[in-house]
């Protein structure tokens, strides 16, 4: 997978032509892994959504009559490189805003830089809760997000699990990384808000390929619904292990399973068994369908469409704030983001998406369920999902 992603990234990177930049142009930066890990697939999708938004802004006359230029950097999936790319964008390129990254760990490594230098950032992919809360008590927080926050994903998955399980026998199976352990904490706390205690909580190593031991314990506990908290390769191994022991309970997972790695490892038919959280899918509306078609021109193997849509909307919100502030000054743009008027996006029409108290532009009420079908990701709705009410989405 890594080799394939790297080869794809080389093709993408080679397609980036040099852009003539003039002193009056407004620069917006994009930084994400686009070559070095499984997350690169998400970063590449986000990159093309970012470019599509800039193209649309310029077609509509730019910002304050000025052309917008996107400056793209590949952070190669590592914190040191990610820090370097952000420093380059701010100090050398003089960007007026940043969209990125894909990896939460990279974001957490460099958040202090734009915060200190007063450059607004909209994160379109990374989901770690702390990204937008670390500087929440400062006089101005410069970190915003249009993505799926971990706990809010679990809020939707938990609501579905409680309604889907006949006897409220729900189990949690997560990888042993910080990501997975955070998921156990969130899922356990959210189920408790529903008055449900998991019948089993099991862990697996991120490199494990056989989870039958953990699954036999979960099966023995009587679980008819399992929430998996891990990235695509681990979740695929879980489903393969389920198949080995002829145990296929209702199975729920997070949006990381949108990666093409999941169906490649689990197999096309088995991958359809997993129900995932998503912020949008290509088949949601005419707007999402159109953006998907545009992104596929540059990224034919796109499966992580929400990353493209979230990056597109991130740029649109930054641009709207600059227009509202009539300025590219970071303090003024951030103040405008905190009190932004209606802005058309691909995912939705945003109306005051941020405030001083919250820099999350999407919440659980915006999220959907999705699943793999015929090699692509489609929106999923059944009678259980349709029965979920706002009061069921506990956080």
């Amino acid at each position: 997978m890594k080799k394939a992603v790297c080869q794809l990234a080389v093709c993408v990177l080679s397609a980036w032509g040099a852009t003539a930049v003039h002193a009056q142009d407004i620069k917006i930066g994009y930084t994400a892994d686009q070559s070095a890990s499984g997350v690169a697939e998400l970063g590449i999708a986000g990159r093309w959504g970012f470019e599509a938004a800039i193209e649309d802004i310029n077609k509509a006359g730019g910002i304050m009559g000025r052309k917008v230029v996107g400056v793209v950097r590949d952070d190669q999936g590592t914190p040191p490189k990610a820090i370097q790319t952000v420093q380059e964008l701010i100090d050398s390129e003089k960007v007026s805003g940043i969209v990125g990254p894909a990896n939460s760990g990279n974001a957490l490594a460099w958040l202090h830089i734009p915060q200190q230098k007063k450059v607004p950032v909209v994160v379109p992919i990374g989901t770690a809760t702390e990204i937008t809360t670390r500087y929440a008590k400062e006089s101005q927080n410069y970190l915003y997000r249009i993505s799926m926050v971990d706990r809010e994903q679990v809020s939707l998955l938990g609501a579905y699990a409680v309604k889907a399980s006949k006897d409220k026998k729900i189990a949690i199976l997560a990888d042993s990384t910080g990501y997975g352990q955070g998921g156990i904490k969130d899922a356990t706390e959210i189920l408790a808000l529903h008055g449900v205690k998991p019948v089993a909580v099991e862990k697996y190593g991120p490199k494990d390929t056989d989870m039958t031991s953990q699954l036999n314990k979960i099966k023995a506990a009587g679980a008819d619904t399992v929430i998996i908290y891990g990235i695509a390769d681990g979740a695929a191994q879980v489903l393969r292990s389920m198949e080995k022991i002829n145990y296929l309970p209702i199975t729920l997972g997070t949006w990381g399973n949108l990666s093409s790695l999941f169906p490649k490892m689990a197999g096309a038919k088995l991958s359809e068994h997993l129900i995932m959280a998503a912020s949008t899918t290509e088949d949601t509306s005419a707007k999402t369908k159109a953006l998907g078609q545009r992104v596929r021109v540059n990224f034919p193997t796109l499966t992580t469409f929400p990353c493209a849509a979230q990056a597109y909307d991130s740029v649109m919100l930054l641009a709207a704030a600059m227009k509202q502030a009539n300025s590219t000054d970071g303090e003024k743009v951030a103040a405008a983001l905190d009190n932004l008027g209606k802005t058309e996006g691909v995912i939705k029409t945003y109306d005051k998406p941020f405030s001083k108290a919250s820099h999350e532009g999407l919440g659980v009420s915006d999220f959907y369920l999705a699943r793999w079908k015929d090699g692509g990701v489609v929106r999923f709705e059944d009678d259980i999902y349709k029965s979920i009410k706002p009061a069921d989405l506990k956080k």
Side-chain angles (χ1 to χ4, degrees):
M1 172 61 185
K2 182 174 180 180
K3 182 177 180 183
V5 169
C6 290
Q7 288 175 339
L8 175 59
V10 168
C11 294
V12 172
L13 288 165
S14 66
W16 298 347
T19 301
V21 181
H22 302 284
Q24 70 272 24
D25 293 344
I26 295 172
K27 292 184 181 180
I28 298 176
Y30 179 81
T31 178
D33 181 9
Q34 293 151 81
S35 64
S37 74
V39 176
E41 194 170 1
L42 284 67
I44 294 169
R47 187 263 180 203
W48 290 116
F50 169 87
E51 288 288 348
I54 288 177
E55 181 181 353
D56 287 349
I57 290 167
N58 286 328
K59 283 182 179 177
I63 298 173
M64 299 176 290
R66 296 160 64 186
K67 180 183 176 182
V68 181
V69 175
V71 184
V72 178
R73 293 288 185 272
D74 181 356
D75 71 20
Q76 298 174 15
T78 65
K81 182 64 175 179
I83 291 169
Q84 179 188 336
T85 63
V86 170
Q87 289 173 328
E88 287 178 1
L89 289 171
I90 294 174
D91 297 334
S92 300
E93 296 292 345
K94 309 295 183 185
V95 298
S96 298
I98 294 174
V99 174
N103 308 59
S104 289
N106 286 357
L108 295 172
W110 56 248
L111 293 185
H112 63 286
I113 301 172
Q115 179 66 26
Q116 290 170 359
K117 299 193 176 184
K118 301 180 179 181
V119 176
V121 174
V122 184
V123 177
I125 301 172
T127 59
T129 302
E130 190 187 350
I131 288 173
T132 61
T133 61
R134 181 185 290 178
Y135 299 109
K137 293 183 180 179
E138 299 288 327
S139 59
Q140 180 62 63
N141 179 5
Y142 288 84
L143 287 307
Y144 300 79
R145 174 160 42 199
I146 297 295
S147 187
M148 300 185 71
V149 186
D150 288 342
R151 190 175 179 91
E152 303 230 349
Q153 290 185 71
V154 180
S155 178
L156 176 58
L157 296 176
Y160 186 92
V162 168
K163 286 182 176 288
S165 178
K166 292 180 180 178
D167 299 310
K168 304 297 182 281
K169 290 192 174 182
I170 302 165
I172 302 168
L173 178 57
D175 71 35
S176 57
T177 66
Y179 174 71
Q181 297 316 292
I184 288 176
K185 180 177 182 293
D186 285 341
T188 302
E189 290 176 355
I190 285 168
L191 289 176
L193 294 175
H194 289 275
V196 175
K197 182 178 179 180
V199 294
V201 177
E202 295 289 331
K203 304 174 185 177
Y204 61 87
K207 300 296 183 182
D208 289 354
T209 57
D210 187 346
M211 289 76 160
T212 54
S213 174
Q214 297 94 320
L215 288 167
N216 276 320
K217 293 176 185 177
I218 289 172
K219 184 178 180 181
D224 61 5
T225 304
V226 177
I227 298 173
I228 302 174
Y229 216 96
I231 58 176
D233 52 352
Q237 298 292 4
V238 170
L239 284 189
R240 291 177 65 177
S241 296
M242 285 179 171
E243 189 176 47
K244 281 182 187 177
I245 63 173
N246 194 30
Y247 171 59
L248 286 171
I250 295 166
T251 309
L252 308 170
T254 57
W255 80 313
N257 296 295
L258 295 171
S259 167
S260 64
L261 185 62
F262 180 74
K264 285 176 184 175
M265 294 182 67
K269 188 65 179 175
L270 192 57
S271 65
E272 293 180 8
H273 183 69
L274 182 72
I275 301 169
M276 304 171 284
S279 63
T280 190
T281 52
E282 286 183 72
D283 61 347
T284 297
S285 68
K287 284 185 177 182
T288 56
K289 183 178 180 181
L291 179 63
Q293 290 173 342
R294 290 173 68 184
V295 172
R296 286 182 187 283
V297 171
N298 298 304
F299 191 13
T301 59
L302 174 73
T303 62
T304 52
F305 173 77
C307 299
Q310 290 163 192
Y312 182 98
D313 286 4
S314 295
V315 177
M316 287 301 185
L317 291 168
L318 264 177
M322 291 176 188
K323 292 176 184 177
Q324 184 169 304
N326 196 32
S327 175
T328 58
D329 175 78
E331 287 186 82
K332 293 178 180 178
V333 173
L337 282 167
D338 285 343
N339 191 36
L340 196 60
K342 284 190 177 181
T343 302
E344 290 294 329
V346 167
I347 297 173
K348 68 175 186 176
T349 299
Y350 298 84
D351 188 8
K352 296 190 183 302
F354 309 116
S355 67
K356 272 286 188 183
S358 174
H359 282 192
E360 300 293 351
L362 295 177
V364 64
S365 60
D366 297 307
F367 300 160
Y368 307 148
L369 292 178
R371 74 187 322 169
W372 285 90
K373 185 74 175 176
D374 299 327
V377 176
V378 298
R379 188 168 179 174
F380 172 76
E381 290 186 343
D382 62 1
D383 290 341
I384 297 169
Y385 174 80
K386 291 175 183 177
S387 73
I388 295 174
K389 297 177 174 59
D392 298 321
L393 300 172
K394 301 180 186 296
K395 297 183 284 183

